[in-house]
Each structure stands twice: as C-alpha cells, then as structure tokens.
Amino acid sequence: DHPDVDLFARSWLANSVHSTKEIANFGTKSDLKIVRDRDIGNEYEVIKLNYRNKVPELKDEQGRAHQGWLGSKVRQRLTVQGIMTYRMVVLQKNGTGNKMSAAKPPMQSIPAVSTSVGQSQTQSECTAVPSTADASTRGMDIEIDSVLMTGQGKDGGQKQE
C-alpha cells in the first residue's frame, strides 16, 4: 500500500493494481496457472532507455496535469524507484493436453482465405475455452468507468460530453 500506487491506479482509470501472486490466485479460481512471468521492464531496460534513470516530479512547468500525463509520470516514478515493474504474465488453462511441451498444440488450422492482394494464407484459431456467466467464479472482473477530460486547467480540465 503505497500512496503513489493508488495515484497511479486512479490516473490510469484502473480499479486496482495487482501483483503476480494476486493474479496467480485469481487464475486458480478459474483453473488457470501461470506459465510465464517475465520482467520485461528489466529485459528491455525501460528505466535506462525510456526513463533515462530519472524520477520525475509530479508537477509540470507547462501546467499539464491531465490524467494521462499524470499516470505516465507516476508510472515512471514507481518504476525507477523499484516499487512497480513491467511484467508479462501468461496464464494457461489447467487440464489434460494443456502442457507447454504437449505434442499437439491447441491450435486448429482452418481453410485458407484470400487477402486483399489476392494471395491466400492459412488462418488459425484457438480452440474455444468454456467460460462461465457466474460472477462468483470470475476473479478478475474489472469495471472501468472512463471519464474523458479536456486536459486543460485544474484537475484535468472539464468533462467532455
């Protein structure tokens, strides 16, 4: 619980920010397991290349304070300080035939389709995964109410209609 993490979530219109452990717990409720957890911020040197190793001020000399600007600066601050990381988390359904090393991948080839330039290519689609409409079993239902702002003036400006 860090005040800047709460500020980041609000400025990005996210109801909450979750750790990899929390995502794994949500996945367990839907019979999913984490098969990849990569720190892509470290792999791609985001702090060095994108942020130039600088912790930004949350006040802009030009008066920008709209939620997108604020969210990006808070994300930069938290990332450079090591409080938040960029991660790529891949979940996979548990069960028979879903192992990463399985001989038969869960993809099925479907008939070739013509592209706009007249060439044909094979298209693939994933096998459908059953889902449930029961809200009590879905651990990651997130509702985000977007509010479009003008970006000018105090607190991001006026609401746009």
Side-chain angles (χ1 to χ4, degrees), residues 90-101:
V90 179
L91 298 137
Q92 183 179 39
K93 193 79 169 164
N94 287 316
T96 310
N98 282 333
K99 294 188 172 98
M100 291 299 287
S101 61

mmCIF file with all atom_site columns, all heavy atoms in Angstrom, residues 90-101:
data_model
loop_
_atom_site.group_PDB
_atom_site.id
_atom_site.type_symbol
_atom_site.label_atom_id
_atom_site.label_alt_id
_atom_site.label_comp_id
_atom_site.label_asym_id
_atom_site.label_entity_id
_atom_site.label_seq_id
_atom_site.pdbx_PDB_ins_code
_atom_site.Cartn_x
_atom_site.Cartn_y
_atom_site.Cartn_z
_atom_site.occupancy
_atom_site.B_iso_or_equiv
_atom_site.pdbx_formal_charge
_atom_site.auth_seq_id
_atom_site.auth_comp_id
_atom_site.auth_asym_id
_atom_site.auth_atom_id
_atom_site.pdbx_PDB_model_num
ATOM 1  N N   . VAL A 1 90  ? 1.582   -14.754 -18.412 1.00 0.00 ? 90  VAL A N   1
ATOM 2  C CA  . VAL A 1 90  ? 0.784   -15.606 -19.294 1.00 0.00 ? 90  VAL A CA  1
ATOM 3  C C   . VAL A 1 90  ? 0.161   -16.700 -18.455 1.00 0.00 ? 90  VAL A C   1
ATOM 4  O O   . VAL A 1 90  ? 0.861   -17.413 -17.723 1.00 0.00 ? 90  VAL A O   1
ATOM 5  C CB  . VAL A 1 90  ? 1.659   -16.227 -20.409 1.00 0.00 ? 90  VAL A CB  1
ATOM 6  C CG1 . VAL A 1 90  ? 0.825   -17.138 -21.312 1.00 0.00 ? 90  VAL A CG1 1
ATOM 7  C CG2 . VAL A 1 90  ? 2.350   -15.133 -21.213 1.00 0.00 ? 90  VAL A CG2 1
ATOM 8  N N   . LEU A 1 91  ? -1.162  -16.823 -18.558 1.00 0.00 ? 91  LEU A N   1
ATOM 9  C CA  . LEU A 1 91  ? -1.892  -17.865 -17.842 1.00 0.00 ? 91  LEU A CA  1
ATOM 10 C C   . LEU A 1 91  ? -2.352  -18.925 -18.837 1.00 0.00 ? 91  LEU A C   1
ATOM 11 O O   . LEU A 1 91  ? -2.640  -18.618 -19.991 1.00 0.00 ? 91  LEU A O   1
ATOM 12 C CB  . LEU A 1 91  ? -3.111  -17.272 -17.128 1.00 0.00 ? 91  LEU A CB  1
ATOM 13 C CG  . LEU A 1 91  ? -2.746  -16.247 -16.066 1.00 0.00 ? 91  LEU A CG  1
ATOM 14 C CD1 . LEU A 1 91  ? -3.661  -15.066 -16.153 1.00 0.00 ? 91  LEU A CD1 1
ATOM 15 C CD2 . LEU A 1 91  ? -2.789  -16.871 -14.707 1.00 0.00 ? 91  LEU A CD2 1
ATOM 16 N N   . GLN A 1 92  ? -2.444  -20.167 -18.359 1.00 0.00 ? 92  GLN A N   1
ATOM 17 C CA  . GLN A 1 92  ? -2.904  -21.266 -19.198 1.00 0.00 ? 92  GLN A CA  1
ATOM 18 C C   . GLN A 1 92  ? -3.890  -22.102 -18.425 1.00 0.00 ? 92  GLN A C   1
ATOM 19 O O   . GLN A 1 92  ? -3.743  -22.297 -17.211 1.00 0.00 ? 92  GLN A O   1
ATOM 20 C CB  . GLN A 1 92  ? -1.709  -22.125 -19.625 1.00 0.00 ? 92  GLN A CB  1
ATOM 21 C CG  . GLN A 1 92  ? -2.074  -23.254 -20.546 1.00 0.00 ? 92  GLN A CG  1
ATOM 22 C CD  . GLN A 1 92  ? -0.849  -24.050 -20.957 1.00 0.00 ? 92  GLN A CD  1
ATOM 23 O OE1 . GLN A 1 92  ? 0.033   -24.279 -20.144 1.00 0.00 ? 92  GLN A OE1 1
ATOM 24 N NE2 . GLN A 1 92  ? -0.786  -24.437 -22.197 1.00 0.00 ? 92  GLN A NE2 1
ATOM 25 N N   . LYS A 1 93  ? -4.896  -22.587 -19.123 1.00 0.00 ? 93  LYS A N   1
ATOM 26 C CA  . LYS A 1 93  ? -5.909  -23.445 -18.518 1.00 0.00 ? 93  LYS A CA  1
ATOM 27 C C   . LYS A 1 93  ? -5.252  -24.747 -18.075 1.00 0.00 ? 93  LYS A C   1
ATOM 28 O O   . LYS A 1 93  ? -4.477  -25.344 -18.809 1.00 0.00 ? 93  LYS A O   1
ATOM 29 C CB  . LYS A 1 93  ? -7.016  -23.710 -19.546 1.00 0.00 ? 93  LYS A CB  1
ATOM 30 C CG  . LYS A 1 93  ? -8.254  -24.315 -18.979 1.00 0.00 ? 93  LYS A CG  1
ATOM 31 C CD  . LYS A 1 93  ? -9.073  -23.266 -18.322 1.00 0.00 ? 93  LYS A CD  1
ATOM 32 C CE  . LYS A 1 93  ? -10.448 -23.801 -17.966 1.00 0.00 ? 93  LYS A CE  1
ATOM 33 N NZ  . LYS A 1 93  ? -11.120 -22.947 -17.028 1.00 0.00 ? 93  LYS A NZ  1
ATOM 34 N N   . ASN A 1 94  ? -5.557  -25.192 -16.857 1.00 0.00 ? 94  ASN A N   1
ATOM 35 C CA  . ASN A 1 94  ? -5.071  -26.479 -16.370 1.00 0.00 ? 94  ASN A CA  1
ATOM 36 C C   . ASN A 1 94  ? -5.838  -27.594 -17.062 1.00 0.00 ? 94  ASN A C   1
ATOM 37 O O   . ASN A 1 94  ? -6.906  -27.380 -17.604 1.00 0.00 ? 94  ASN A O   1
ATOM 38 C CB  . ASN A 1 94  ? -5.271  -26.609 -14.857 1.00 0.00 ? 94  ASN A CB  1
ATOM 39 C CG  . ASN A 1 94  ? -4.310  -25.749 -14.079 1.00 0.00 ? 94  ASN A CG  1
ATOM 40 O OD1 . ASN A 1 94  ? -3.136  -25.682 -14.376 1.00 0.00 ? 94  ASN A OD1 1
ATOM 41 N ND2 . ASN A 1 94  ? -4.836  -25.047 -13.084 1.00 0.00 ? 94  ASN A ND2 1
ATOM 42 N N   . GLY A 1 95  ? -5.310  -28.783 -17.002 1.00 0.00 ? 95  GLY A N   1
ATOM 43 C CA  . GLY A 1 95  ? -6.037  -29.921 -17.547 1.00 0.00 ? 95  GLY A CA  1
ATOM 44 C C   . GLY A 1 95  ? -5.224  -30.693 -18.558 1.00 0.00 ? 95  GLY A C   1
ATOM 45 O O   . GLY A 1 95  ? -4.120  -30.326 -18.940 1.00 0.00 ? 95  GLY A O   1
ATOM 46 N N   . THR A 1 96  ? -5.779  -31.802 -19.030 1.00 0.00 ? 96  THR A N   1
ATOM 47 C CA  . THR A 1 96  ? -5.108  -32.689 -19.963 1.00 0.00 ? 96  THR A CA  1
ATOM 48 C C   . THR A 1 96  ? -4.847  -31.989 -21.284 1.00 0.00 ? 96  THR A C   1
ATOM 49 O O   . THR A 1 96  ? -5.705  -31.324 -21.824 1.00 0.00 ? 96  THR A O   1
ATOM 50 C CB  . THR A 1 96  ? -5.984  -33.942 -20.221 1.00 0.00 ? 96  THR A CB  1
ATOM 51 O OG1 . THR A 1 96  ? -6.377  -34.461 -18.964 1.00 0.00 ? 96  THR A OG1 1
ATOM 52 C CG2 . THR A 1 96  ? -5.220  -34.985 -21.004 1.00 0.00 ? 96  THR A CG2 1
ATOM 53 N N   . GLY A 1 97  ? -3.645  -32.202 -21.804 1.00 0.00 ? 97  GLY A N   1
ATOM 54 C CA  . GLY A 1 97  ? -3.309  -31.652 -23.114 1.00 0.00 ? 97  GLY A CA  1
ATOM 55 C C   . GLY A 1 97  ? -2.954  -30.184 -23.113 1.00 0.00 ? 97  GLY A C   1
ATOM 56 O O   . GLY A 1 97  ? -2.757  -29.604 -24.172 1.00 0.00 ? 97  GLY A O   1
ATOM 57 N N   . ASN A 1 98  ? -2.841  -29.570 -21.950 1.00 0.00 ? 98  ASN A N   1
ATOM 58 C CA  . ASN A 1 98  ? -2.527  -28.146 -21.908 1.00 0.00 ? 98  ASN A CA  1
ATOM 59 C C   . ASN A 1 98  ? -1.112  -27.862 -21.436 1.00 0.00 ? 98  ASN A C   1
ATOM 60 O O   . ASN A 1 98  ? -0.798  -26.750 -21.079 1.00 0.00 ? 98  ASN A O   1
ATOM 61 C CB  . ASN A 1 98  ? -3.509  -27.408 -20.992 1.00 0.00 ? 98  ASN A CB  1
ATOM 62 C CG  . ASN A 1 98  ? -4.833  -27.172 -21.670 1.00 0.00 ? 98  ASN A CG  1
ATOM 63 O OD1 . ASN A 1 98  ? -4.890  -27.079 -22.886 1.00 0.00 ? 98  ASN A OD1 1
ATOM 64 N ND2 . ASN A 1 98  ? -5.887  -27.100 -20.898 1.00 0.00 ? 98  ASN A ND2 1
ATOM 65 N N   . LYS A 1 99  ? -0.251  -28.854 -21.434 1.00 0.00 ? 99  LYS A N   1
ATOM 66 C CA  . LYS A 1 99  ? 1.128   -28.629 -21.014 1.00 0.00 ? 99  LYS A CA  1
ATOM 67 C C   . LYS A 1 99  ? 1.875   -27.905 -22.123 1.00 0.00 ? 99  LYS A C   1
ATOM 68 O O   . LYS A 1 99  ? 1.629   -28.123 -23.298 1.00 0.00 ? 99  LYS A O   1
ATOM 69 C CB  . LYS A 1 99  ? 1.801   -29.950 -20.686 1.00 0.00 ? 99  LYS A CB  1
ATOM 70 C CG  . LYS A 1 99  ? 1.183   -30.623 -19.477 1.00 0.00 ? 99  LYS A CG  1
ATOM 71 C CD  . LYS A 1 99  ? 1.990   -31.833 -19.074 1.00 0.00 ? 99  LYS A CD  1
ATOM 72 C CE  . LYS A 1 99  ? 1.472   -32.369 -17.773 1.00 0.00 ? 99  LYS A CE  1
ATOM 73 N NZ  . LYS A 1 99  ? 0.584   -33.465 -17.883 1.00 0.00 ? 99  LYS A NZ  1
ATOM 74 N N   . MET A 1 100 ? 2.802   -27.057 -21.755 1.00 0.00 ? 100 MET A N   1
ATOM 75 C CA  . MET A 1 100 ? 3.548   -26.273 -22.733 1.00 0.00 ? 100 MET A CA  1
ATOM 76 C C   . MET A 1 100 ? 4.311   -27.169 -23.704 1.00 0.00 ? 100 MET A C   1
ATOM 77 O O   . MET A 1 100 ? 4.549   -26.815 -24.832 1.00 0.00 ? 100 MET A O   1
ATOM 78 C CB  . MET A 1 100 ? 4.529   -25.328 -22.027 1.00 0.00 ? 100 MET A CB  1
ATOM 79 C CG  . MET A 1 100 ? 3.869   -24.208 -21.272 1.00 0.00 ? 100 MET A CG  1
ATOM 80 S SD  . MET A 1 100 ? 2.907   -23.116 -22.302 1.00 0.00 ? 100 MET A SD  1
ATOM 81 C CE  . MET A 1 100 ? 4.200   -22.231 -23.139 1.00 0.00 ? 100 MET A CE  1
ATOM 82 N N   . SER A 1 101 ? 4.731   -28.354 -23.265 1.00 0.00 ? 101 SER A N   1
ATOM 83 C CA  . SER A 1 101 ? 5.509   -29.235 -24.118 1.00 0.00 ? 101 SER A CA  1
ATOM 84 C C   . SER A 1 101 ? 4.639   -30.273 -24.822 1.00 0.00 ? 101 SER A C   1
ATOM 85 O O   . SER A 1 101 ? 5.155   -31.222 -25.390 1.00 0.00 ? 101 SER A O   1
ATOM 86 C CB  . SER A 1 101 ? 6.591   -29.933 -23.282 1.00 0.00 ? 101 SER A CB  1
ATOM 87 O OG  . SER A 1 101 ? 5.969   -30.707 -22.270 1.00 0.00 ? 101 SER A OG  1
#
